[in-house]
Amino acid sequence: MKYLLFEFLLVIFFVYIQCEITYIEVKYPLKGKRSPPNAVWPHPQQINISNDLLYIRPNDLAVYSNLQTCDIIAKAIERYKPIFFPPTLDMKQPSSNMENILQNLTLNVKGNIQCEKYIELNSNEAYNLTIKQKFALVEAYSVWGLLRGLETFSQLIYINEQNYIVINSSVDIIDSPRFRHRGAMLDSARHFLPVSIIKKNLDVMSYNKLNVFHWHLVDDQSFPFESKTFPNLSRAGAYSPDHVYTPDDVADIIEHARLRGIRVIPEIDTPGHTFSWSKSMPELITVCWTHGKSYQSIYSIQGEMEIFNPSEPRVYSTMDALLREIHERFPSNYIHLGMDEVYDKCWLSNPNIRQWMVDNNILSTKNLHKYYADQILDITRNISVTPIVWQDVWDEHVELPPGTIIQVWKDSSDNIEFSSWASYLNRAANEGYNVILSSPWYLNYISYGKYNTDTSVMNLEFFKYYEVEPLRHFSGSSEAKERILGGEACLWGEFVDGTNLLSRFWPKAAAVAERLWSAASINNSEDAQFRLDVHRCRLLRRGIPAQPILNGYCGNYDLGMSKSMINHPLFNYDNPIWTETIAPSSARSFASLSSSSSSRMFNYKLYHIVYLILSLFFVYFCRK
Amino acid sequence: MKYLLFEFLLVIFFVYIQCEITYIEVKYPLKGKRSPPNAVWPHPQQINISNDLLYIRPNDLAVYSNLQTCDIIAKAIERYKPIFFPPTLDMKQPSSNMENILQNLTLNVKGNIQCEKYIELNSNEAYNLTIKQKFALVEAYSVWGLLRGLETFSQLIYINEQNYIVINSSVDIIDSPRFRHRGAMLDSARHFLPVSIIKKNLDVMSYNKLNVFHWHLVDDQSFPFESKTFPNLSRAGAYSPDHVYTPDDVADIIEHARLRGIRVIPEIDTPGHTFSWSKSMPELITVCWTHGKSYQSIYSIQGEMEIFNPSEPRVYSTMDALLREIHERFPSNYIHLGMDEVYDKCWLSNPNIRQWMVDNNILSTKNLHKYYADQILDITRNISVTPIVWQDVWDEHVELPPGTIIQVWKDSSDNIEFSSWASYLNRAANEGYNVILSSPWYLNYISYGKYNTDTSVMNLEFFKYYEVEPLRHFSGSSEAKERILGGEACLWGEFVDGTNLLSRFWPKAAAVAERLWSAASINNSEDAQFRLDVHRCRLLRRGIPAQPILNGYCGNYDLGMSKSMINHPLFNYDNPIWTETIAPSSARSFASLSSSSSSRMFNYKLYHIVYLILSLFFVYFCRK
């Protein structure tokens, strides 16, 4: 009896806590609307949702599709099972004779749509998701729309306080992306990014409905991409023989992305950023001169050998062969050509290049840029590939083929109102180019996590990314507006590798994802912080070590806690320890790891009823 | 034959790469001396070392000690085995009849020293390490010195290009710490830090010879410390019943630290930062008033209930009982009392406190601070505990008992030359207080990783921490100088939890560790960057996901690579997945996991001789 009173008091305290989580400093009580536990991220275009709930029976939920034979759908259904029903959770199975049980989920494409293979820029990702009369239905015009709808469905499921898996009983979502190109750029040259981490990152991208993996494959520091045509490039240019993406690795990553509705766009950055090429093909690289001496670097401006030599014909034959191979191996019809940060002082410092310019009547560096770009763009034209370039070559007034995508990255200033990236977007789109925006989304520029804009406002770091409005200052025709395809969150790799990639990138990249998917009117950072906090806990439950954006906790899913999924084999790839110590067949099997129990788990059995009554009582006090 | 030529060329490339790793941008070639693969971090006081090497036979290396029965030594020897001989490496066993094999390692205390239990502020951590005539000897005046020497020995071991484990054949190290108090502060209140992560952090601390874990246990946001006297504090104040440090958890952490020569100093921060206490003991907390209304917060200055009520006698009886319990449970004779950031406007806003001040002739907030501090300091005096306080209470000119340690944290400015923290150190030490420094070492203030001080210099983020010289501006007697006990790297937890703690803190905290251990003259950041890079790779091999500070790689130990140790059970604690899927007895046994093979491992067997000849050839070219 003494214990019962004790437990009773415990429940009081526990409920009381739930009312008042102190999110940041006490002296900075956060504004904004608190989020329901199953808020959808990115926010759908239209959503109507009931407060009533249906129970879900983990062992019984059937998923049907009129594209069940399509590998993308079949594999997605398999993949989402442990996402619907977290394997380390002690969920309760509602008895089958209970009412209010969700009967099944159906994923149907409308019309005479067949299974597709690769998502494209203009693929239709729209979907409708309805739950009524105990049936859930996702309808779309493509497999991609079904994937997006399935993701939304998975986010609506949550575990309630009584440990039942539930979902709203009446849901009506009409959803489609605002922008077509929603990307994440990773840099595998400054540090090699293991295949397992890239795949895990593709998983998180799909949870955030991003659809482009821009793969900055090679750079000055290393050349990890194993070319079949020029294997010496990675043999000499990679950090080590193990720090290489073999053809199988690349195919594995492309397939992983394909199944999740993500395009992989490779970047082969030239004519600058090519020092790693010099290890095997020094003949392609410009030697810089200073004071009459060759092989000279100028500190903080240029290295001694980091730019292609535009006067060298072998540059173009090599690029022709390499880009053809890339085009063959990457299903995307886009190749990113880089063309950024070309320090033309090195070109001009080289007497041979100066002579060649005179001989060829190329009388300015602008024309030298143009000469190089024209040759490479001819190659992409010949192989019917659409080029993407960083804005630099366009800054140099080089004319680019129609349809070229210009990636705006300059001016990453925090000043949201008067950012010059907006004028770049304006001008490029009005000149007829397609544009993607990255300037405000260089997520490698990290900070403490919060900043004060004035003494009375506390802003979180992600607000900077979230409050960007790509079209705020846009002026131009509606056709020009259509050419603003979207944007990319970029994570440059100087200080990023497998140890910190996922925690640095997420959930900040999710802020970019919502900006690119959701309506422009979904822009209240203070509300978003609570939804993103919920979403971050969701990512933890799916094995992603996304870092916190607020004080607080994610229940037992916090890393290192009893139910953490971070190292769970279901959400990890190629972990050498796992494959050594667990038989591969069981390592990625859902059933074999689906149960666990924690000795410290809060035992709800004793005071369910008390808890419920008290909850109602305290809800009254908690309301503001 | 065709293959042999092919492999031959591969070796050429590979050796060539080793000469020219591009560390940062090509245009910023790094200055500084490249590090040997076994540079000791923190740098010893005196080190003489040969280029000749001894081989080590992993199966045969005997370790002796004249304190073999001391649990600290016996367990350390066991613990260091997998550190000496990384279990996932394909090491070669030199044949036993080879010459140049290290025969054994002896760890001896000098004099009549017995096994000790807990390290203290004034414990002797000095040691000598010598290797000659194939025998290694660590000598010290305490078990703590032996631990530090054992760590140094472990760092001297490395795996050479031929995959043999080697160590320098002649070593003469005389070493001792410059400062006695070398700490790391973690904050388990903004986010709960799982026990497993705290223990892993204690491991890394020992690898860096840090000897104090300052545990900021509780704060406004949560009260995870389970008190036996006041269990309701954590029941109501913790984020959840699982986000609690039970008495067993605390004892486990203290024991883990004890075995590694680390003191655990708990912080119970009062009278501010006590919002979480209000959940169970609202009677202890001052209610703030504004405009004649109670329970009012003033945005960005104070919360509505975040400071103890100094007029409330129950505050002092509670603190008395709690501090007695803390003293009983934590073997350290120090307790950190906090006493920072007390927003006394709230005190003055409360009419009852104002009346009480008049009644008790307390006519200023300074005297109110003093009143509170005096009561608490009386308690620590009664229980014979030395108090540590943040500098704030000293800033308020409250007189503190002699021996009090003042932790200087204000002015974390980057301006190393004219920092006012130096004047705080000066003044406090000259007033007779002991001092520890933290101002320049708030490692939660993160940045991109590099910064340019002017156009021609590239600085890495860790330079800021490394270039701090605590005594640069010190003026005072040598007795006053002795009172500067050391410092602490702090990691506040607003945006830190298990997902990112280790990668954010390490290897930056290692920069602080070297500053506090090594001679002031070891202060060349450009040299240190290469040694720290080597040390960071060492941490990866020991399962710590320390983030990169430079471009480059750590061989197969990079996270996600075939030999990564990050998730290996040898270096992880209480991972729920591991304990579920691996039998506990084997999970932490060295032998059962000592072998592995990688399908992609670079096969050295074929061209050892060629490689050696080429190495010599290329070393000639690589020298600068």
Side-chain angles (χ1 to χ4, degrees):
Chain A
M1 194 59 216
K2 196 170 129 196
Y3 271 100
L4 210 65
L5 177 69
F6 179 84
E7 300 287 355
F8 182 85
L9 288 169
L10 201 155
V11 171
I12 292 181
F13 290 131
F14 188 51
V15 175
Y16 188 60
I17 296 166
Q18 294 185 319
C19 310
E20 298 203 35
I21 287 174
T22 305
Y23 269 107
I24 294 284
E25 304 300 327
V26 169
K27 59 199 170 102
Y28 291 112
L30 291 185
K31 298 166 181 174
K33 203 171 82 186
R34 303 292 158 124
S35 170
N38 63 346
V40 177
W41 190 282
H43 198 284
Q45 302 297 336
Q46 290 181 42
I47 178 166
N48 277 303
I49 205 159
S50 67
N51 288 326
D52 295 341
L53 299 173
L54 291 176
Y55 292 95
I56 300 182
R57 288 176 51 83
N59 298 350
D60 281 358
L61 182 71
V63 183
Y64 303 110
S65 173
N66 63 4
L67 278 184
Q68 201 114 29
T69 57
C70 173
D71 60 346
I72 290 174
I73 297 304
K75 289 185 177 171
I77 292 171
E78 212 41 49
R79 196 166 66 232
Y80 271 90
K81 274 186 192 164
I83 292 174
F84 293 166
F85 311 122
T88 59
L89 200 92
D90 306 308
M91 295 165 297
K92 290 212 201 105
Q93 184 85 348
S95 66
S96 55
N97 54 13
M98 269 171 81
E99 298 227 335
N100 297 329
I101 303 251
L102 182 72
Q103 298 300 308
N104 63 48
L105 165 66
T106 304
L107 308 169
N108 279 351
V109 284
K110 294 188 210 177
N112 197 15
I113 303 292
Q114 300 303 305
C115 183
E116 290 165 81
K117 188 142 193 210
Y118 292 104
I119 190 169
E120 286 166 17
L121 174 66
N122 294 317
S123 291
N124 187 339
E125 296 172 277
Y127 69 92
N128 297 343
L129 166 55
T130 52
I131 300 178
K132 60 181 172 189
Q133 291 165 346
K134 305 182 198 165
F135 290 91
L137 171 66
V138 175
E139 285 185 307
Y141 292 95
S142 74
V143 289
W144 319 116
L146 291 187
L147 284 184
R148 305 302 172 234
L150 182 57
E151 173 56 36
T152 299
F153 177 81
S154 77
Q155 297 191 5
L156 289 173
I157 294 177
Y158 70 102
I159 293 107
N160 73 356
E161 285 90 351
Q162 290 77 41
N163 251 6
Y164 287 106
I165 297 208
V166 294
I167 196 164
N168 310 70
S169 61
S170 165
V171 172
D172 201 347
I173 291 175
I174 301 173
D175 201 11
S176 60
R178 181 174 172 217
F179 292 103
R180 287 173 280 172
H181 184 119
R182 305 180 308 281
M185 191 217 76
L186 299 183
D187 164 9
S188 59
R190 269 69 179 222
H191 287 94
F192 181 80
L193 304 175
V195 173
S196 58
I197 298 286
I198 291 178
K199 287 163 79 173
K200 204 160 171 173
N201 196 61
L202 288 165
D203 293 352
V204 209
M205 287 174 64
S206 74
Y207 304 152
N208 289 278
K209 300 191 172 84
L210 292 175
N211 64 4
V212 176
F213 168 35
H214 169 180
W215 191 356
H216 186 83
L217 264 170
V218 296
D219 209 301
D220 287 323
Q221 288 78 6
S222 75
F223 198 106
F225 173 72
E226 184 178 321
S227 160
K228 294 175 183 173
T229 325
F230 304 107
N232 286 345
L233 278 169
S234 59
R235 275 198 199 117
Y239 282 133
S240 91
D242 288 319
H243 291 72
V244 160
Y245 301 105
T246 65
D248 281 353
D249 290 337
V250 170
D252 185 17
I253 286 167
I254 291 169
E255 175 68 4
H256 198 86
R258 179 183 82 81
L259 291 170
R260 286 156 183 80
I262 297 171
R263 295 188 287 154
V264 180
I265 298 183
E267 176 179 353
I268 301 293
D269 192 359
T270 69
H273 292 277
T274 55
F275 179 71
S276 63
W277 301 58
S278 73
K279 307 275 177 76
S280 57
M281 298 184 169
E283 67 277 9
L284 305 189
I285 315 293
T286 310
V287 171
C288 309
W289 288 61
T290 313
H291 302 117
K293 275 196 260 181
S294 58
Y295 293 98
Q296 299 298 307
S297 65
I298 303 175
Y299 199 77
S300 95
I301 295 174
Q302 66 192 22
E304 61 180 59
M305 276 186 97
E306 65 169 289
I307 319 173
F308 272 177
N309 180 344
S311 72
E312 170 57 55
R314 281 173 293 184
V315 161
Y316 306 108
S317 57
T318 304
M319 282 297 283
D320 186 90
L322 185 65
L323 292 180
R324 279 175 198 277
E325 180 190 338
I326 295 270
H327 182 46
E328 217 165 76
R329 288 174 52 194
F330 287 82
S332 160
N333 266 318
Y334 294 80
I335 297 181
H336 202 302
L337 300 172
M339 300 203 178
D340 59 315
E341 297 185 316
V342 181
Y343 297 99
D344 46 28
K345 272 189 188 162
C346 178
W347 277 343
L348 294 180
S349 79
N350 185 305
N352 301 327
I353 292 186
R354 280 206 308 276
Q355 185 57 48
W356 177 84
M357 287 173 73
V358 173
D359 295 348
N360 288 273
N361 204 27
I362 293 173
L363 301 176
S364 68
T365 50
K366 183 206 147 178
N367 284 341
L368 197 53
H369 282 286
K370 183 174 156 44
Y371 178 85
Y372 178 79
D374 284 349
Q375 311 301 308
I376 303 300
L377 292 167
D378 272 353
I379 297 169
T380 55
R381 206 177 341 248
N382 290 340
I383 59 176
S384 301
V385 148
T386 306
I388 310 182
V389 292
W390 298 104
Q391 71 177 94
D392 308 50
V393 62
W394 169 74
D395 291 342
E396 296 280 349
H397 307 289
V398 173
E399 201 181 309
L400 301 162
T404 299
I405 299 177
I406 292 168
Q407 185 160 13
V408 169
W409 69 278
K410 292 185 177 177
D411 175 38
S412 58
S413 74
D414 292 350
N415 190 325
I416 288 154
E417 282 305 319
F418 303 100
S419 46
S420 60
W421 57 254
S423 70
Y424 295 133
L425 283 193
N426 251 334
R427 189 154 58 82
N430 281 310
E431 284 175 12
Y433 296 114
N434 288 316
V435 203
I436 51 179
L437 176 64
S438 284
S439 303
W441 292 322
Y442 268 36
L443 270 53
N444 44 305
Y445 292 127
I446 52 174
S447 73
Y448 177 41
K450 62 184 178 182
Y451 63 101
N452 295 25
T453 48
D454 63 53
T455 51
S456 68
V457 183
M458 167 67 72
N459 283 324
L460 297 179
E461 185 182 15
F462 90 85
F463 286 14
K464 284 194 289 198
Y465 310 120
Y466 189 74
E467 291 174 2
V468 169
E469 172 41 57
L471 301 183
R472 186 174 293 156
H473 296 285
F474 188 78
S475 57
S477 63
S478 60
E479 289 78 35
K481 205 175 202 172
E482 275 295 296
R483 288 194 280 269
I484 298 180
L485 304 178
E488 289 181 2
C490 297
L491 192 71
W492 293 100
E494 280 89 349
F495 304 102
V496 173
D497 70 0
T499 59
N500 58 356
L501 187 147
L502 293 165
S503 65
R504 275 206 186 189
F505 206 39
W506 303 100
K508 289 191 293 182
V512 182
E514 177 153 300
R515 178 54 49 241
L516 292 170
W517 177 281
S518 305
S521 58
I522 303 294
N523 61 0
N524 184 321
S525 296
E526 287 170 343
D527 291 350
Q529 68 194 341
F530 294 109
R531 288 192 298 113
L532 187 55
D533 193 46
V534 159
H535 186 57
R536 183 245 166 185
C537 290
R538 174 182 291 142
L539 298 185
L540 284 193
R541 287 196 296 275
R542 297 178 184 195
I544 309 299
Q547 67 184 7
I549 58 158
L550 295 173
N551 296 327
Y553 65 105
C554 293
N556 269 337
Y557 288 96
D558 285 326
L559 191 143
M561 297 288 283
S562 59
K563 303 203 176 302
S564 170
M565 299 297 295
I566 302 298
N567 293 316
H568 198 287
L570 272 167
F571 297 109
N572 285 281
Y573 307 97
D574 305 328
N575 187 317
I577 306 300
W578 290 113
T579 51
E580 264 166 52
T581 51
I582 304 178
S585 60
S586 74
R588 297 199 54 75
S589 140
F590 171 53
S592 65
L593 287 155
S594 60
S595 73
S596 85
S597 69
S598 157
S599 58
R600 295 176 57 195
M601 184 66 196
F602 189 62
N603 188 344
Y604 286 87
K605 281 175 200 162
L606 288 172
Y607 23 76
H608 261 168
I609 300 158
V610 181
Y611 187 93
L612 276 167
I613 295 165
L614 283 168
S615 294
L616 291 169
F617 183 68
F618 278 91
V619 159
Y620 177 75
F621 280 98
C622 294
R623 283 195 313 187
K624 298 207 174 196
Chain B
M1 192 60 214
K2 196 169 130 197
Y3 271 99
L4 211 64
L5 177 67
F6 178 84
E7 301 285 355
F8 182 86
L9 288 170
L10 202 155
V11 171
I12 293 183
F13 289 131
F14 190 51
V15 175
Y16 187 64
I17 297 165
Q18 295 185 317
C19 309
E20 298 201 36
I21 288 174
T22 305
Y23 269 107
I24 293 285
E25 305 299 326
V26 169
K27 61 200 169 99
Y28 291 112
L30 290 186
K31 297 166 182 173
K33 205 170 83 186
R34 303 292 157 125
S35 169
N38 63 345
V40 177
W41 189 283
H43 197 285
Q45 302 297 337
Q46 291 180 41
I47 178 166
N48 276 303
I49 206 161
S50 68
N51 288 326
D52 296 341
L53 298 173
L54 291 175
Y55 292 95
I56 299 181
R57 288 175 51 82
N59 298 350
D60 282 358
L61 182 71
V63 184
Y64 303 110
S65 173
N66 64 3
L67 278 184
Q68 202 113 26
T69 56
C70 173
D71 61 345
I72 291 173
I73 297 304
K75 288 185 178 172
I77 292 171
E78 213 39 50
R79 193 167 69 233
Y80 270 91
K81 273 185 191 165
I83 292 174
F84 293 166
F85 311 123
T88 59
L89 200 94
D90 306 308
M91 295 167 298
K92 287 208 203 110
Q93 183 84 347
S95 66
S96 56
N97 55 11
M98 269 172 81
E99 299 225 337
N100 297 329
I101 304 252
L102 181 72
Q103 298 300 309
N104 63 49
L105 164 66
T106 303
L107 309 169
N108 280 351
V109 284
K110 292 187 211 177
N112 196 16
I113 304 292
Q114 299 302 307
C115 183
E116 289 163 83
K117 187 141 194 210
Y118 291 104
I119 191 171
E120 286 165 16
L121 174 65
N122 293 316
S123 291
N124 187 339
E125 295 174 278
Y127 69 92
N128 297 344
L129 166 56
T130 52
I131 301 178
K132 61 182 174 188
Q133 292 167 344
K134 305 180 197 167
F135 290 91
L137 172 66
V138 175
E139 284 184 307
Y141 292 95
S142 75
V143 289
W144 318 115
L146 291 186
L147 284 184
R148 304 302 173 234
L150 182 58
E151 173 56 35
T152 298
F153 178 82
S154 78
Q155 296 192 6
L156 289 172
I157 295 176
Y158 69 102
I159 294 108
N160 72 357
E161 286 89 352
Q162 290 77 41
N163 251 6
Y164 287 106
I165 297 209
V166 294
I167 195 165
N168 310 73
S169 61
S170 166
V171 172
D172 201 347
I173 291 174
I174 301 173
D175 201 11
S176 60
R178 184 176 171 215
F179 292 104
R180 287 172 280 170
H181 184 119
R182 305 181 307 281
M185 191 219 75
L186 299 184
D187 164 8
S188 59
R190 269 67 179 224
H191 287 95
F192 182 80
L193 303 175
V195 173
S196 59
I197 298 285
I198 291 178
K199 287 163 79 174
K200 204 160 171 174
N201 196 61
L202 288 165
D203 293 351
V204 211
M205 286 174 65
S206 74
Y207 304 152
N208 290 277
K209 300 191 172 79
L210 292 175
N211 64 4
V212 176
F213 168 35
H214 169 181
W215 191 353
H216 186 84
L217 265 170
V218 297
D219 209 301
D220 286 321
Q221 289 78 7
S222 74
F223 199 105
F225 174 72
E226 183 178 324
S227 159
K228 293 175 184 174
T229 326
F230 304 108
N232 286 346
L233 278 169
S234 58
R235 277 202 195 112
Y239 281 132
S240 92
D242 288 319
H243 291 72
V244 160
Y245 301 105
T246 65
D248 281 352
D249 290 337
V250 171
D252 185 18
I253 286 167
I254 291 170
E255 175 68 4
H256 199 85
R258 179 184 81 82
L259 291 171
R260 286 155 183 79
I262 297 170
R263 294 188 288 154
V264 180
I265 298 182
E267 177 180 351
I268 301 293
D269 194 358
T270 66
H273 292 277
T274 55
F275 180 69
S276 64
W277 301 58
S278 73
K279 307 276 177 76
S280 57
M281 299 185 169
E283 66 278 10
L284 305 189
I285 314 294
T286 310
V287 171
C288 310
W289 288 61
T290 311
H291 301 116
K293 276 195 259 177
S294 59
Y295 293 97
Q296 297 300 305
S297 64
I298 302 175
Y299 200 78
S300 96
I301 294 176
Q302 67 194 21
E304 60 181 59
M305 276 186 98
E306 66 169 289
I307 321 173
F308 271 177
N309 180 345
S311 72
E312 170 56 55
R314 281 174 292 183
V315 162
Y316 306 107
S317 56
T318 304
M319 282 298 283
D320 186 273
L322 186 65
L323 291 180
R324 280 175 197 276
E325 180 191 341
I326 296 269
H327 181 46
E328 216 166 78
R329 289 175 52 193
F330 287 83
S332 161
N333 266 317
Y334 295 80
I335 297 181
H336 202 302
L337 300 172
M339 300 203 176
D340 59 316
E341 296 185 318
V342 181
Y343 297 100
D344 45 27
K345 272 191 187 160
C346 178
W347 278 342
L348 294 181
S349 79
N350 185 306
N352 302 327
I353 292 186
R354 278 206 310 275
Q355 186 56 47
W356 177 85
M357 287 172 73
V358 172
D359 295 346
N360 289 272
N361 202 28
I362 294 173
L363 300 176
S364 68
T365 51
K366 185 207 144 177
N367 285 341
L368 197 52
H369 282 285
K370 182 173 157 42
Y371 179 86
Y372 178 79
D374 283 348
Q375 310 302 307
I376 303 300
L377 292 167
D378 272 352
I379 298 170
T380 56
R381 207 179 338 251
N382 290 339
I383 58 175
S384 300
V385 148
T386 306
I388 310 182
V389 292
W390 297 105
Q391 71 177 96
D392 308 50
V393 61
W394 168 75
D395 291 343
E396 295 279 349
H397 307 289
V398 173
E399 201 182 309
L400 302 162
T404 299
I405 300 178
I406 292 168
Q407 185 160 15
V408 169
W409 69 277
K410 293 187 178 175
D411 175 39
S412 59
S413 74
D414 292 350
N415 190 326
I416 289 155
E417 282 304 319
F418 304 100
S419 46
S420 61
W421 56 255
S423 71
Y424 296 132
L425 285 193
N426 251 333
R427 191 155 55 83
N430 281 309
E431 285 175 11
Y433 296 114
N434 288 316
V435 202
I436 51 178
L437 177 64
S438 283
S439 303
W441 293 323
Y442 268 35
L443 270 55
N444 44 303
Y445 291 127
I446 53 174
S447 73
Y448 176 40
K450 63 184 177 182
Y451 62 102
N452 295 24
T453 47
D454 63 53
T455 51
S456 67
V457 182
M458 167 67 73
N459 284 325
L460 298 179
E461 185 183 15
F462 90 87
F463 286 15
K464 282 193 291 197
Y465 310 119
Y466 190 75
E467 290 173 4
V468 169
E469 172 39 57
L471 301 182
R472 188 175 292 155
H473 297 286
F474 188 78
S475 59
S477 64
S478 59
E479 289 79 35
K481 205 176 203 169
E482 275 296 296
R483 288 195 281 269
I484 298 181
L485 304 178
E488 289 182 1
C490 297
L491 191 72
W492 293 101
E494 278 90 350
F495 304 103
V496 174
D497 70 0
T499 60
N500 59 355
L501 186 149
L502 293 166
S503 66
R504 274 205 186 189
F505 207 39
W506 303 101
K508 288 190 295 182
V512 182
E514 176 152 301
R515 178 55 51 241
L516 292 171
W517 177 281
S518 306
S521 58
I522 303 294
N523 61 359
N524 185 320
S525 297
E526 287 169 344
D527 292 349
Q529 67 195 341
F530 293 110
R531 288 192 298 111
L532 187 55
D533 193 44
V534 160
H535 186 56
R536 183 243 165 185
C537 289
R538 174 183 293 141
L539 297 185
L540 284 192
R541 287 196 296 275
R542 297 178 184 195
I544 310 299
Q547 69 183 6
I549 59 158
L550 296 173
N551 295 326
Y553 66 105
C554 294
N556 268 338
Y557 288 96
D558 285 326
L559 191 145
M561 298 287 285
S562 59
K563 301 200 178 305
S564 171
M565 299 296 295
I566 303 298
N567 293 316
H568 199 287
L570 272 166
F571 298 110
N572 286 281
Y573 306 97
D574 306 327
N575 187 318
I577 305 301
W578 290 113
T579 51
E580 265 167 52
T581 53
I582 303 177
S585 61
S586 74
R588 297 199 53 79
S589 139
F590 172 52
S592 65
L593 286 155
S594 62
S595 73
S596 85
S597 67
S598 157
S599 58
R600 294 175 59 196
M601 182 65 195
F602 189 61
N603 186 345
Y604 286 86
K605 281 178 200 159
L606 288 172
Y607 25 74
H608 262 169
I609 300 159
V610 182
Y611 187 92
L612 275 168
I613 296 166
L614 283 169
S615 293
L616 291 170
F617 182 69
F618 277 92
V619 159
Y620 177 74
F621 279 100
C622 296
R623 285 195 313 186
K624 296 213 173 182

